[in-house]
Amino acid sequence: RKFSKSLGNGIDPNELRARWGTDAVRMALYGYSVPGRDGRASKQTMDERAKNFRNFGTKLWNIGRFVIELKPEQSRNEANFSHPDDKKIKEELDKAIRSVTKNLEAFKLHLATDNLYEFIWHQFADIYIESTKDRRSEAQPVLEYVFRTSLELLHPFMPFITEELWQKLPHTGKSIMTTKWPKMV
């Protein structure tokens, strides 16, 4: 049915924001904005999507806690991609940079958010972070590099959480907003 104030079937974004947070609602809306899709969505659909991205925000906080707060005392200073797991995550990060950049330039925001979600949650958190637990000191610079770059890619979609987490990482500049767009190295 068509949205209507009198029917009471509209979705109030402020209500969603209050419940799930601004960044989560932004991601839910970007992810739902598929060209050709009927713009109508139920409250339940948007609630579920916002909840999912609120959980994604929690995942980002947990990654940040692991990378920043649980940082080993002794670690290398610069990222060295010599270990096979480090090479693999660098390849996956380069794919993410390439696809997110391409999709942003083509205004395919839903694909860019999907790429970021898949890379950060599955490739980085589920696979790479788990593989580094036995060699944490060696992997720390790579963890910081990949996390910082991921935050920079995610910033246009989730500006508040990415700024806060980025400020806790070693960085140059005053804000994530003034960094250059990530490039493949």
Side-chain angles (χ1 to χ4, degrees), residues 19 23 36 52:
R19 187 166 186 186
D23 282 342
N52 183 41

Side-chain angles (χ1 to χ4, degrees), residues 2 4 6 8 14 21 31 46 49 65 74 80 87 105 113 117 121 126 130 135 137 141 145-146 155 163 173 175 185:
K2 188 175 181 181
S4 166
S6 60
N14 287 324
M46 292 313 292
R49 294 183 70 79
R65 194 171 298 117
Q74 297 292 334
N80 178 349
K87 288 179 184 176
E105 289 171 350
T113 58
Y117 180 91
W121 194 303
D126 290 349
E130 289 302 317
R135 55 183 200 87
S137 293
Y145 173 81
V146 173
H155 183 69
E163 179 72 44
S175 171
V185 179

Side-chain angles (χ1 to χ4, degrees), residues 40-143:
R40 293 178 265 188
S42 69
K43 288 180 183 180
Q44 180 182 356
T45 298
M46 292 313 292
D47 237 10
E48 288 171 9
R49 294 183 70 79
K51 179 182 177 185
N52 183 41
F53 285 112
R54 188 269 328 256
N55 293 344
F56 180 64
T58 301
K59 184 66 147 182
L60 289 171
W61 281 113
N62 291 337
I63 294 169
R65 194 171 298 117
F66 179 78
V67 173
I68 301 161
E69 294 174 17
L70 300 176
K71 180 179 180 174
E73 289 185 29
Q74 297 292 334
S75 63
R76 292 189 312 221
N77 292 331
E78 227 172 281
N80 178 349
F81 300 96
S82 58
H83 191 277
D85 291 343
D86 298 344
K87 288 179 184 176
K88 178 71 174 156
I89 196 63
K90 181 66 173 96
E91 289 170 10
E92 294 298 326
L93 178 62
D94 285 346
K95 284 183 201 172
I97 292 170
R98 188 173 28 258
S99 64
V100 169
T101 302
K102 180 185 86 169
N103 287 319
L104 271 176
E105 289 171 350
F107 298 103
K108 295 179 180 176
L109 305 180
H110 65 291
L111 294 177
T113 58
D114 286 349
N115 297 144
L116 286 165
Y117 180 91
E118 289 298 316
F119 171 73
I120 293 169
W121 194 303
H122 300 294
Q123 298 296 318
F124 185 48
D126 290 349
I127 297 171
Y128 183 70
I129 287 178
E130 289 302 317
S131 77
T132 65
K133 289 184 177 176
D134 293 336
R135 55 183 200 87
R136 183 62 193 280
S137 293
E138 174 192 347
Q140 183 63 28
V142 176
L143 285 164

Side-chain angles (χ1 to χ4, degrees), residues 17 20-27 30 57 60-61 151 154-168 175-177:
R17 269 185 344 103
W20 305 112
T22 302
D23 282 342
V25 173
R26 287 171 59 106
M27 283 290 278
Y30 289 132
L60 289 171
W61 281 113
L151 293 174
L154 189 58
H155 183 69
F157 306 103
M158 297 181 89
F160 301 107
I161 190 171
T162 55
E163 179 72 44
E164 193 163 337
L165 288 167
W166 186 85
Q167 288 294 336
K168 295 178 180 200
S175 171
I176 193 172
M177 291 187 321

